[in-house]
Amino acid sequence: MRQVHPELAPRPGLSKAEMESLQRRVAETAVFEDDLSFDPASISLADSGTTTLTGDTDPPLVAGIDQSFLDDRAVSAVVVLRGGAVVERVHAVSELDLPYVPGLLSFREGGPILDALAKLDSDPDLLVFDGSGRVHFRQAGLATHLGVVYDVPSIGVAKSLLCGTPDEDVDGRPEGWQTPIRADDSVDAVGGHPATPETVIGYAFQSRQYDSRPIINPLYVSPGHRLSAETTVDVVSRLSGDYKLPEPTRLADAYADEAKAQYE
DNA sequence: GCGACAG
DNA sequence: ATCTTGTCGC
């Protein structure tokens, strides 16, 4: 996978103001509408090989990315799926330069993730990140930032909401439920277009809800790059298996822990 | 000053 | 994110 915009890659040593201005450039470059090389409906977790008889084609390559941490090092893991089959796994251990600061996550975790993605042989059609995409103060969260660097369709899947306002109360919703997340005052304009409450920057999505106890919180999904908010939820639902997190993310999460164990 | 915040 | 025992349920 080649970086189309290496000049926009998160790099260490920038001041807070420089990081924010780089994020504004990323947001200007990002495309929040569908520009895909595959049909979203072809996304599936079913193991479907090529069926010459019907002319079926292989499902798209989807990469799940997640990290685990040791002291001041990050273990970045990437798991690539084609349908429900794992076709490649890579990981990288990198030194962390910055602390976690809300809104600047891509500068702490982005570099380490690029280290892992550089080891990838396959060329994913879609990147699924653990964190926000467009749901971000400058509409340039981790998923947007790295998706733009590679100019590959990307999605952000977060377990909590960074900013924006859900249309409806998200508590105790049934499986499959979803509601738009709209821009609020904390979300900056992009491309001369102000971010108004009409701007849908993501969706709250209840991927799972077990009959029993603890009410499960919804996922907060948002476009990273080259997908609309609507297609983003659709794709995440297609990538959902038996757990709360979409399968690529869940497998990357497990692999990050597995790899981490080798270094401690 | 208050609020409030991905991983 | 990470530190952690037990506990409920399929």
Side-chain angles (χ1 to χ4, degrees):
Chain A
M1 198 169 32
R2 172 173 167 273
Q3 291 190 9
V4 173
H5 288 296
E7 78 282 6
L8 296 179
R11 48 177 193 271
L14 299 183
S15 65
K16 183 181 178 185
E18 292 170 325
M19 292 189 273
E20 294 180 346
S21 108
L22 180 52
Q23 290 182 324
R24 287 184 200 101
R25 291 173 59 203
V26 166
E28 297 294 340
T29 309
V31 173
F32 298 131
E33 55 189 50
D34 296 342
D35 180 14
L36 309 168
S37 60
F38 57 88
D39 178 358
S42 66
I43 295 272
S44 143
L45 289 179
D47 301 290
S48 63
T50 303
T51 307
T52 51
L53 191 62
T54 60
D56 283 356
T57 176
D58 286 335
L61 274 184
V62 180
I65 298 132
D66 193 29
Q67 298 171 302
S68 59
F69 300 86
L70 302 303
D71 298 315
D72 255 20
R73 289 173 300 168
V75 177
S76 308
V78 182
V79 175
V80 182
L81 297 182
R82 170 153 261 150
V86 174
V87 299
E88 187 178 5
R89 301 202 308 176
V90 296
H91 76 271
V93 179
S94 324
E95 298 289 332
L96 290 164
D97 307 305
L98 305 168
Y100 164 67
V101 176
L104 299 178
L105 184 68
S106 63
F107 290 91
R108 169 179 167 81
E109 305 189 345
I113 289 174
L114 295 183
D115 292 339
L117 289 174
K119 298 183 176 181
L120 211 57
D121 284 325
S122 42
D123 252 86
D125 295 297
L126 174 71
L127 304 175
V128 180
F129 293 95
D130 191 36
S132 290
R134 193 181 186 184
V135 168
H136 180 272
F137 309 125
R138 287 163 292 281
Q139 301 191 49
L142 178 70
T144 299
H145 200 149
L146 301 190
V148 163
V149 167
Y150 288 104
D151 192 26
V152 166
S154 65
I155 282 177
V157 176
K159 294 178 288 296
S160 58
L161 190 59
L162 175 63
C163 62
T165 311
D167 270 7
E168 302 173 56
D169 192 317
V170 305
D171 297 322
R173 298 299 188 167
E175 210 167 283
W177 176 88
Q178 59 183 70
T179 199
I181 300 296
R182 296 174 189 278
D184 59 23
D185 292 342
S186 73
V187 180
D188 292 352
V190 168
H193 301 295
T196 69
E198 284 69 57
T199 314
V200 176
I201 55 179
Y203 276 86
F205 172 57
Q206 194 72 47
S207 58
R208 299 261 23 202
Q209 194 60 275
Y210 307 105
D211 301 309
S212 58
R213 279 292 168 42
I215 294 175
I216 296 181
N217 298 314
L219 291 176
Y220 296 93
V221 306
S222 59
H225 180 46
R226 295 173 56 175
L227 281 94
S228 65
E230 290 66 32
T231 300
T232 297
V233 227
D234 178 51
V235 166
V236 171
S237 70
R238 291 174 186 283
L239 290 173
S240 290
D242 297 328
Y243 303 85
K244 171 175 177 173
L245 293 174
E247 213 53 13
T249 303
R250 191 182 70 81
L251 293 174
D253 181 82
Y255 180 42
D257 283 340
E258 178 188 328
K260 169 184 175 176
Q262 304 173 179
Y263 300 89
E264 57 181 4

